[in-house]
């Protein structure tokens, strides 16, 4: 008996029309995986929404957007802010307890 498997793609399970879901997903990815997790989550959501559409709405080049959201990319805070706003969320600062 052969078992077929496929790679899990989070982008296939993201409701891009639900800003609350997007916010929660970004928060969980950031909390659990730090900035790398946030970057991955932004990439998943952008893929789900359509990278070309995100590029158009942010006035960023499609290739530049792919590079910024790749595992090796180092997106500027301005780029992250533009992408977040397209998703209907914004970056905020909150106080945390220091160990």
């Amino acid at each position: 008996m052969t078992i077929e498997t496929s790679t899990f793609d989070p982008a296939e399970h993201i409701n891009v029309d639900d800003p609350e879901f997007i916010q929660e997903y970004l928060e969980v990815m950031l909390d659990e995986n730090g900035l790398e997790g946030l970057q991955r989550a932004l990439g998943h959501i952008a893929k789900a929404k359509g990278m070309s559409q995100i590029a158009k709405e942010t006035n960023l080049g499609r290739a530049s957007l792919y590079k910024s959201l790749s595992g090796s990319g180092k997106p500027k805070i301005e780029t992250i802010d533009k992408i977040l706003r397209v998703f209907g969320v914004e970056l905020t600062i909150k106080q945390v307890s220091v160990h």
Side-chain angles (χ1 to χ4, degrees), residues 11 18-19 25 27 44 54-55 60 71-72 87 91 94 98-99:
D18 185 353
Y25 181 56
E27 286 176 353
H44 297 155
I54 301 300
L60 298 169
S72 61
F87 298 158
L91 191 61
K94 67 180 181 180
V98 180
H99 298 50

Side-chain angles (χ1 to χ4, degrees), residues 40-61:
R40 280 198 326 256
L42 289 170
H44 297 155
I45 299 166
K47 182 178 176 186
K49 188 166 177 118
M51 203 64 80
S52 295
Q53 182 66 28
I54 301 300
K56 182 179 176 182
E57 292 183 43
T58 58
N59 291 320
L60 298 169

